[in-house]
Amino acid sequence: MGEKTIQDINARIADGSVHVVTAEEMPHIVAELGPEGAAREVDIVTTGTFGAMCSSGAWLNFGHSDPPIKMQKVWLNDVEAYSGLAAVDAYIGATQMSETRGMEYGGAHVIEDLVCGKSVDIHATAHGTDCYPRKVLDTTVTIDDINQAVMMNPRNAYQKYNVATNCSDRTLYTYMGTLLPNNGNATYSAAGVLSPIFNDPTYQTIGVGTRIFLCGAQGYITGEGTQHDPSNNFGTLMVQGDLKKMNKKYVRGATFHKYGVSLYVGIGIPIPILNADIAKATAVTDANITTNVLDYGVARRSRPVLRQVTYEELKSGMIDINGNEVTTSPMSSFHEARGIALELKESIRKGLFYPTLPVERLPNEGVSKPMKQIKEQPTVADVMASRVTTIKQGLTVEDAAKVIMEGNFNHLPVVSDEDKLVGIITAWDVAKAVAQNKRDKLDDIMTRTVITADITEPIETTARKLEQHNISALPVINNKNIVVGIITSDDISKLMTRR
Amino acid sequence: MKITLYATPEITAKPLIAEVILETKALLNIDRADVKPKGGEVVIDVPQDRYDEVTKAFEKRGARIIRLELPVIKDDDECVNCGACISVCPTGVISFKDDWSIEMDVSKCVQCGTCVTMCPHGALTLSE
């Protein structure tokens, strides 16, 4: 068949004959008519996503004060915005936290308040120049009082995201929400079948200049998002839109408990069905989209991958992790994503929204690089004492007391006959046992749940463990659970002072 | 149905619940129990038809009983129907309807409060 052009499609929008469906409806149509037939039948497929998009923010221009000021630092409702550019422009980032209210209120909430028409307090400071003499400024504005308010988000609409779970034995507070210990739950981002990029994974229609639904307004894609990683199906988009035209329903400040602030952003992208290839791509379903389940219990850049899952499994509400049934929670709203795809469909049908083709294609290959670090982080192996005294499990409290006395230290790891770590005894444990007349078996007084350091872990991770558990030393173990050293808070302090 | 029992420090040491079970022979199920410096707070599941009897038996022993009518409240203006709350709830109060909006069966709620902190939008609160 001949290909359709964007002009053909827009002419149909103008005369009211356009056929628009959502990305949830399209798989059935392609299954029934085939890609060729579906491409003849359908003109546009609408997608949608509504979730936490931390890499968001807005440019604001306040207009000039009298006498004028060149804002060097500026705060909006006590949330600092970036103003290291000409006089009265500032970028309020979504995740910046309030200096008085902490993570309960942040840049995302300022943006939401502006969209809602609420007043926002501005405080600015400057050094004062001949042309900008003013040094301090305090005022209150609403979005109507300022010149431009432009949402400009460097990384939004992730093609998909990892599933987060927690294999450790303590609760974690993350940007993926609260992760309960021992795989108590798993959280994911929900768009799946409605994900804009998954419906055009080769970026034939999604590119620079593509007109999109951005929080209820008509915005644009301005480029590839930062960390764009198309080769791993982790594509991202950079987007821009007029904050003054946005709908408060789709701009929602959020707080992740004990983690921080984020902004829930609603994005919908229309995919013009120009040919059978594009139609075929929009037939993607939740069952075709896979993602990895990662253990957030490991606080490293590369987290262990526990398994692959499909979005269909995730949306069933339960997934299997190491033989256990684990309840899943989306962190983004599929209900709202569907609402966005439907709202965009309606706008197009009513002739209120005309899709565009990109003026420049986005890269559909390439990966996001890790950071180049020129100063390697010291690891436990660099700092620990490798001469560590241990004691065998079967011995007595009295034996332990002697070893501690002779060695002049506080922490004594207890090991099995195979030298595997089974517990730990401190000088304090021994003193307490003697005072209570418990001089026999070590087994009775040792701590069995030992917090340990892995020989390969960065020293930052170890320092955090010491602080979290309020302890002063950790036995260092290798991958066979054999004690190979001990690291104390003193060792870490010495390292810090050497730096 | 669920009740919250508040006991002052003077009576927390007494086997209140055991006494009431023996007296009323009602099958009580303890959903959650906290002992704080200012006394104890226990959420108890009580068979519907034994509510009056059990409440009286506790009150006779000096405990204060509050019926948990609406243990957790959702602010529909703040809720975006993400479902973050679902996986942290230990008793399965929250689920998706067919249209992916949130549904709550508050009769299962034991007021642990985990959903309240999980909610990114501050849409959930526990009632007093």
Side-chain angles (χ1 to χ4, degrees):
Chain A
M1 68 165 266
E3 301 217 340
K4 257 182 278 182
T5 65
I6 192 79
Q7 288 77 14
D8 296 337
I9 292 174
N10 283 342
R12 285 180 201 171
I13 297 176
D15 71 20
S17 67
V18 70
H19 187 193
V20 193
V21 301
T22 71
E24 273 189 285
E25 297 164 323
M26 190 61 168
H28 310 290
I29 299 171
V30 176
E32 197 178 313
L33 305 177
E36 300 276 348
R40 268 194 299 273
E41 186 69 26
V42 176
D43 298 314
I44 299 168
V45 170
T46 60
T47 62
T49 177
F50 182 74
M53 305 198 193
C54 291
S55 276
S56 297
W59 282 108
L60 308 173
N61 178 283
F62 303 107
H64 286 290
S65 61
D66 184 35
I69 184 168
K70 179 174 139 21
M71 296 173 165
Q72 275 180 309
K73 292 208 167 225
V74 63
W75 293 261
L76 313 178
N77 286 349
D78 285 337
V79 181
E80 189 172 10
Y82 182 74
S83 57
L85 58 162
V88 287
D89 287 314
Y91 184 78
I92 177 81
T95 67
Q96 188 71 275
M97 294 189 286
S98 159
E99 290 185 5
T100 45
R101 295 167 66 188
M103 62 177 67
E104 160 201 334
Y105 186 92
H109 300 92
V110 173
I111 295 169
E112 179 182 343
D113 282 348
L114 283 168
V115 172
C116 290
K118 292 186 186 166
S119 303
V120 170
D121 294 332
I122 316 267
H123 173 68
T125 57
H127 63 92
T129 71
D130 287 342
C131 45
Y132 291 108
R134 191 161 192 151
K135 290 188 173 176
V136 182
L137 177 121
D138 284 281
T139 185
T140 299
V141 299
T142 70
I143 197 164
D144 296 330
D145 300 322
I146 61 182
N147 289 315
Q148 283 76 24
V150 181
M151 180 181 274
M152 199 181 269
N153 304 343
R155 183 170 68 260
N156 276 181
Y158 257 107
Q159 186 168 7
K160 65 172 181 181
Y161 209 75
N162 296 312
V163 182
T165 188
N166 171 15
C167 296
S168 81
D169 56 6
R170 63 185 188 88
T171 304
L172 302 177
Y173 302 97
T174 74
Y175 60 84
M176 293 297 283
T178 302
L179 299 174
L180 303 173
N182 307 314
N183 303 128
N185 64 339
T187 59
Y188 67 102
S189 280
V193 61
L194 286 171
S195 156
I197 299 177
F198 258 117
N199 281 278
D200 181 14
T202 54
Y203 303 87
Q204 296 198 52
T205 70
I206 294 179
V208 178
T210 299
R211 184 177 291 138
I212 60 170
F213 171 107
L214 184 59
C215 303
Q218 295 189 11
Y220 296 90
I221 295 169
T222 58
E224 60 180 293
T226 54
Q227 293 176 28
H228 184 52
D229 194 5
S231 293
N232 292 312
N233 288 332
F234 267 81
T236 72
L237 302 176
M238 194 174 285
V239 301
Q240 173 180 330
D242 189 348
L243 202 66
K244 293 190 177 201
K245 294 181 179 153
M246 288 182 185
N247 181 341
K248 62 183 180 184
K249 189 174 161 193
Y250 302 116
V251 187
R252 306 288 283 268
T255 297
F256 291 104
H257 186 57
K258 294 190 184 176
Y259 168 77
V261 179
S262 189
L263 183 67
Y264 273 57
V265 172
I267 294 180
I269 301 184
I271 317 275
I273 307 300
L274 304 173
N275 56 48
D277 277 354
I278 298 175
K280 198 174 166 188
T282 55
V284 70
T285 64
D286 284 332
N288 310 133
I289 304 176
T290 57
T291 189
N292 289 329
V293 181
L294 302 190
D295 176 13
Y296 275 59
V298 176
R300 300 296 298 270
R301 181 171 59 213
S302 299
R303 304 178 197 277
V305 177
L306 301 173
R307 61 165 294 198
Q308 272 205 333
V309 281
T310 66
Y311 267 78
E312 192 176 41
E313 290 172 274
L314 288 168
K315 285 186 180 172
S316 75
M318 200 78 90
I319 57 170
D320 184 287
I321 299 177
N322 299 331
N324 296 314
E325 292 214 310
V326 178
T327 313
T328 59
S329 264
M331 297 305 295
S332 62
S333 172
F334 191 74
H335 183 266
E336 303 302 310
R338 181 186 271 169
I340 288 166
L342 286 168
E343 192 173 325
L344 180 55
K345 172 177 159 177
E346 274 315 294
S347 307
I348 296 169
R349 275 161 39 108
K350 288 181 186 156
L352 303 171
F353 188 110
Y354 285 82
T356 61
L357 282 188
V359 292
E360 192 90 56
R361 298 280 297 272
L362 296 183
N364 58 16
E365 276 176 24
V367 296
S368 170
K369 288 185 289 201
M371 184 185 282
K372 175 186 173 188
Q373 284 160 287
I374 53 163
K375 203 170 158 188
E376 272 316 307
Q377 288 287 326
T379 62
V380 167
D382 300 330
V383 185
M384 70 178 194
S386 48
R387 283 178 52 190
V388 55
T389 310
T390 58
I391 189 164
K392 291 275 193 247
Q393 192 173 10
L395 297 178
T396 66
V397 175
E398 202 134 351
D399 297 327
K402 276 183 202 147
V403 175
I404 289 174
M405 272 284 294
E406 284 160 15
N408 188 25
F409 49 71
N410 282 321
H411 296 80
L412 183 60
V414 183
V415 297
S416 67
D417 287 339
E418 298 83 40
D419 277 335
K420 290 189 194 282
L421 180 70
V422 293
I424 193 162
I425 295 279
T426 64
W428 163 254
D429 294 330
V430 171
K432 192 169 135 199
V434 169
Q436 294 172 342
N437 233 340
K438 289 189 200 158
R439 292 163 191 248
D440 299 340
K441 282 192 212 150
L442 272 182
D443 269 22
D444 298 340
I445 67 157
M446 73 182 185
T447 301
R448 287 168 193 277
T449 320
V450 191
I451 314 296
T452 58
D454 185 277
I455 188 157
T456 60
E457 78 186 25
I459 211 74
E460 252 81 5
T461 309
T462 316
R464 202 168 149 77
K465 281 184 193 167
L466 289 169
E467 189 191 338
Q468 264 170 350
H469 297 280
N470 196 21
I471 49 182
S472 55
L474 300 177
V476 180
I477 53 167
N478 65 14
N479 57 7
K480 295 193 177 80
N481 199 27
I482 292 185
V483 181
V484 293
I486 192 154
I487 184 160
T488 66
S489 44
D490 278 355
D491 296 334
I492 297 176
S493 307
K494 277 179 204 147
L495 173 80
M496 296 299 165
T497 48
R498 273 212 311 272
R499 270 184 180 174
Chain B
M1 67 190 342
K2 295 188 195 301
I3 58 170
T4 307
L5 173 156
Y6 297 93
T8 53
E10 300 82 66
I11 57 170
T12 44
K14 293 183 185 162
L16 272 187
I17 297 169
E19 281 178 23
V20 170
I21 292 173
L22 287 173
E23 182 185 313
T24 62
K25 300 202 169 54
L27 295 176
L28 304 186
N29 190 24
I30 298 169
D31 286 332
R32 182 173 67 83
D34 290 317
V35 177
K36 292 171 180 163
K38 286 182 181 163
E41 188 182 309
V42 186
V43 175
I44 304 170
D45 199 22
V46 185
Q48 188 98 34
D49 54 337
R50 312 299 296 279
Y51 171 74
D52 288 338
E53 198 186 340
V54 168
T55 304
K56 278 189 193 123
F58 277 121
E59 284 170 348
K60 192 168 74 185
R61 289 169 171 81
R64 190 161 64 91
I65 297 291
I66 288 186
R67 190 169 154 175
L68 278 177
E69 303 266 10
L70 205 57
V72 58
I73 300 163
K74 178 159 78 79
D75 180 341
D76 291 338
D77 289 338
E78 293 299 331
C79 175
V80 302
N81 294 294
C82 63
C85 47
I86 292 174
S87 70
V88 292
C89 174
T91 56
V93 170
I94 314 151
S95 58
F96 281 122
K97 287 195 238 179
D98 286 346
D99 71 350
W100 290 91
S101 63
I102 296 292
E103 183 171 46
M104 297 177 93
D105 177 359
V106 293
S107 69
K108 293 180 182 167
C109 178
V110 297
Q111 285 204 322
C112 69
T114 319
C115 62
V116 174
T117 52
M118 181 65 157
C119 178
H121 298 276
L124 298 169
T125 41
L126 299 182
S127 62
E128 283 297 313

